[in-house]
């Protein structure tokens, strides 16, 4: 492999070689660093170097660093119960430290995750179904006397704390998959709705979660009130909570409570798919609830990322976040692979105002688990061998790494030409205003030449077939 890659660099003629400078692009000029990953992972964040040349000549992507949109909060994945349990119980100390430093650190080959999501109680990627207030007799507990984060103490909390030790700036959001069974109209964690008489108790339940995690050294900075509130799964915790119900719950209960007791915690509405923008629009149209909702959270499983812009256009002062999308073995993702995930989720979300992108499980095992119900074909950002603790990296790892490793918190997304025809891109200026980052995906089955210009400078590269490349360069003289 090493010899073959070396030959590709020398000959600049292999279909899966990293981006390379065109002979006519000029032999002298400022350096452009590039990293490339192909769908077959024969290249995996493989580095190369190009140079700027004269600005004349064909241009596919014009980067305008002066036209700025949203600022970036970060990228990452969810530390689900399954992910945390594997990291704690199927890896030794050295393996665990190495993996978390790779994912959350920036030194060496660290990919710098700045953003993560936790589940409040069980999700389908838990080893059993539970809430954080399960009275032994199953009777209502409106005083929350049985509230306890004990189910998270052996795995989720230690893993998050270790990630925070590596990256103290890590932003943590959290979402419930269901209220405790006794709060629901069917008395069950599976299916059902939140009973109106327990709206106040559920608000206090979420506050107690925030306070309990803070006491453990894990600051939660954002909550959603319900994961996928327009869906009632049949074999794992879930709860339907439509826009009028969420507006009432947020406006009359959770919003005022957090404003008084935990004003640092933001509420993100929706936390569900792109195909129903009318749902968050309904909450934002409620003047009482809207004052407590600075952002909308989105999932990728239906619709497309343009829904984020529809809501942003109606409420330009509200932020957008991609908070869940899983890779896995289904079409079109199975055949589209890395470049589809990059185009539709990462680049698509960011070009439609997302300030952060979270994919689903941080880690799963070779059997796509453990899980209790739900998705049996989902994959993690990494796969941990449950027998050896060895780690392999999935398409989703590389889709995130191509942004998370190079785009720092506070970076601005800036204008870049929408290319189409199998090429997709998004551009940034890092917060220090010193570096530009351009991420480009080539979904085509053939290599593609690409001309990029910023100001009076231009470089030309050739992207391998079915690949993603990140380009980084310093700002020119002003």
């Amino acid at each position: 492999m090493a010899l073959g890659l070396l030959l590709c660099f020398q000959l600049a003629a292999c279909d899966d070689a990293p981006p390379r400078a065109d002979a006519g692009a000029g032999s002298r000029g400022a350096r452009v660093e590039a990293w490339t990953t192909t769908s077959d992972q024969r290249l995996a964040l493989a580095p190369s170097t190009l140079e700027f040349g004269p600005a004349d000549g064909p241009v596919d992507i014009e980067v305008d660093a002066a036209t700025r949109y949203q600022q970036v909060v970060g990228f990452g994945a969810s530390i689900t119960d399954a992910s945390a349990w594997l990291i704690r119980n199927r890896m030794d100390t050295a393996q665990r430290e190495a993996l978390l430093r790779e994912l959350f650190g920036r030194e060496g080959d660290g990919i710098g995750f700045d953003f993560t999501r936790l589940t409040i109680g069980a999700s389908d990627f838990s080893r059993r179904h539970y809430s954080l207030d399960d009275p032994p007799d199953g009777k209502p507990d409106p005083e929350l006397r049985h509230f306890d984060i004990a189910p998270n103490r052996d795995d989720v909390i230690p893993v998050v704390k270790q990630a925070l030790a590596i990256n103290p700036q890590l932003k943590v959001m959290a979402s419930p998959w269901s209220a405790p069974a006794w709060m629901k109209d069917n008395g069950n964690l599976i299916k059902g709705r939140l009973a109106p008489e327990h709206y106040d108790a559920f608000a206090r339940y979420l506050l107690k979660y925030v306070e309990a995690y803070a006491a453990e050294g894990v600051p939660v900075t954002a909550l959603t009130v319900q994961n996928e509130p327009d869906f009632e799964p049949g074999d794992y915790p879930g709860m339907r909570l439509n826009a009028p119900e969420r507006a009432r719950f947020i406006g009359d209960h959770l919003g005022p409570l957090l404003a008084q007791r935990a004003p640092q915690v933001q509420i993100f509405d929706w936390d569900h798919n792109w195909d129903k923008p009318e749902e968050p629009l309904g909450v934002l149209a409620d003047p009482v609830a809207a004052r407590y909702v600075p952002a909308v959270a989105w999932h990728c499983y239906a619709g497309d990322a343009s829904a984020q812009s529809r809501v942003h256009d109606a409420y330009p002062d509200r932020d957008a976040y991609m908070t869940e999308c899983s890779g896995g073995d289904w079409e079109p993702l199975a055949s589209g692979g890395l470049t589809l995930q990059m185009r539709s989720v990462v680049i698509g979300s960011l070009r439609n105002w997302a300030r952060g992108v979270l994919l689903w499980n941080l880690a799963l095992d070779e059997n796509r688990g453990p899980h209790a119900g739900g998705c049996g074909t989902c994959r993690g950002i990494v796969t941990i061998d449950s027998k050896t603790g060895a780690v392999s990296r999935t398409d989703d790892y590389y889709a995130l790494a191509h942004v998370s490793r190079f785009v720092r918190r506070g970076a601005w997304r800036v204008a870049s030409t929408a290319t189409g025809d199998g090429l997709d891109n998004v551009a940034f200026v890092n917060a220090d205003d010193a570096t530009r980052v351009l991420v480009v995906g080539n979904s085509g089955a053939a290599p593609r030449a690409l001309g990029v210009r910023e100001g009076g400078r231009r470089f030309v590269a050739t992207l391998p077939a079915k690949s993603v490349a990140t380009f980084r360069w310093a700002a020119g003289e002003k």
Side-chain angles (χ1 to χ4, degrees), residues 131 133-142 146 179-189 198:
S131 82
D133 193 309
D134 292 330
D137 58 8
K139 292 181 179 178
D141 180 27
H146 294 278
W182 57 265
M183 294 187 189
K184 297 170 68 176
D185 61 2
N186 68 345
N188 199 310
L189 290 174
H198 291 308

Side-chain angles (χ1 to χ4, degrees), residues 105-124:
R106 288 199 176 274
E107 295 182 1
D109 292 330
I111 62 174
F113 284 174
D114 275 332
F115 192 23
T116 193
R117 181 181 183 221
L118 307 180
T119 71
I120 303 174
S123 73
D124 45 332

Side-chain angles (χ1 to χ4, degrees), residues 166-448:
I166 294 165
N167 179 2
Q169 305 305 312
L170 180 68
K171 296 289 186 185
V172 179
M173 68 168 287
S175 307
W177 262 239
S178 174
W182 57 265
M183 294 187 189
K184 297 170 68 176
D185 61 2
N186 68 345
N188 199 310
L189 290 174
I190 297 174
K191 298 190 174 182
R193 308 180 89 101
L194 180 62
E197 63 268 26
H198 291 308
Y199 278 21
D200 180 66
F202 189 44
R204 289 184 285 108
Y205 173 87
L206 296 178
L207 175 64
K208 283 182 76 70
Y209 174 86
V210 169
E211 292 176 337
Y213 265 65
E216 296 291 331
V218 178
V220 174
T221 59
L223 292 173
T224 60
V225 301
Q226 174 59 36
N227 173 73
E228 299 190 343
D230 195 50
F231 177 52
E232 292 178 79
D235 61 355
Y236 65 91
M239 184 172 75
R240 196 174 294 273
L241 200 66
N242 64 24
E245 291 167 330
R246 295 197 310 280
R248 178 184 168 194
F249 175 68
I250 293 169
D252 295 346
H253 300 275
L254 184 62
L257 184 63
L258 291 181
Q260 180 182 21
R261 299 275 298 276
Q264 77 281 5
V265 179
Q266 294 186 325
I267 299 173
F268 297 173
D269 185 49
W270 191 218
D271 211 12
H272 207 170
N273 290 332
W274 287 319
D275 63 336
K276 292 191 176 179
E278 64 274 11
E279 278 279 330
L281 286 170
V283 171
L284 293 174
D286 184 294
V288 178
R291 73 181 71 171
Y292 301 113
V293 179
V296 174
W298 299 93
H299 295 188
C300 73
Y301 306 114
D304 63 73
S306 63
Q308 296 175 186
S309 285
R310 176 178 165 187
V311 174
H312 177 269
D313 290 346
Y315 296 94
D317 59 339
R318 309 305 160 102
D319 293 328
Y321 291 86
M322 164 54 61
T323 54
E324 185 186 316
C325 190
S326 182
D329 292 332
W330 56 81
E331 292 296 348
L333 191 59
S335 58
L338 169 67
T339 54
L340 178 60
Q341 195 80 318
M342 179 60 73
R343 178 178 75 244
S344 63
V345 179
V346 179
I347 292 175
S349 292
L350 291 164
R351 290 191 74 99
N352 285 278
W353 298 99
R355 296 192 63 194
V357 177
L358 288 172
L359 299 189
W360 188 206
N361 290 278
L362 187 72
L364 293 178
D365 67 18
E366 70 277 12
N367 299 311
R368 309 300 175 93
H371 64 100
C375 181
T377 55
C378 292
R379 66 182 176 225
I381 303 303
V382 298
T383 301
I384 296 174
D385 188 299
S386 61
K387 296 181 178 62
T388 68
V391 172
S392 57
R393 293 149 191 84
T394 67
D395 286 344
D396 312 289
Y397 172 98
Y398 290 105
L400 284 174
H402 269 276
V403 283
S404 66
R405 185 172 165 185
F406 309 103
V407 179
R408 305 302 176 93
R409 175 170 296 156
W412 291 92
R413 179 177 73 87
V414 298
S416 60
T417 310
T419 44
D421 190 28
L423 287 177
D424 302 277
N425 77 88
V426 63
F428 305 88
V429 171
N430 274 318
D432 59 6
D433 207 32
T435 54
R436 284 80 169 100
V437 176
L438 175 68
V439 183
V440 185
N442 173 21
S443 300
R448 292 286 298 271

Side-chain angles (χ1 to χ4, degrees), residues 5 11 17 21 29 31 33 61 104 123 153 155 215 229 233 316 322 341:
L5 183 56
L11 299 175
R31 188 174 69 167
E33 298 172 288
I61 300 173
F104 294 97
S123 73
R153 290 191 183 279
D155 41 41
M322 164 54 61
Q341 195 80 318

Side-chain angles (χ1 to χ4, degrees), residues 88-103:
R88 289 285 292 175
N89 293 281
R90 291 295 181 263
M91 308 187 86
D92 63 32
T93 300
Q95 289 173 321
R96 183 163 54 248
E97 178 72 12
L99 175 62
L100 293 177
R101 285 200 173 276
E102 177 182 348
L103 294 173

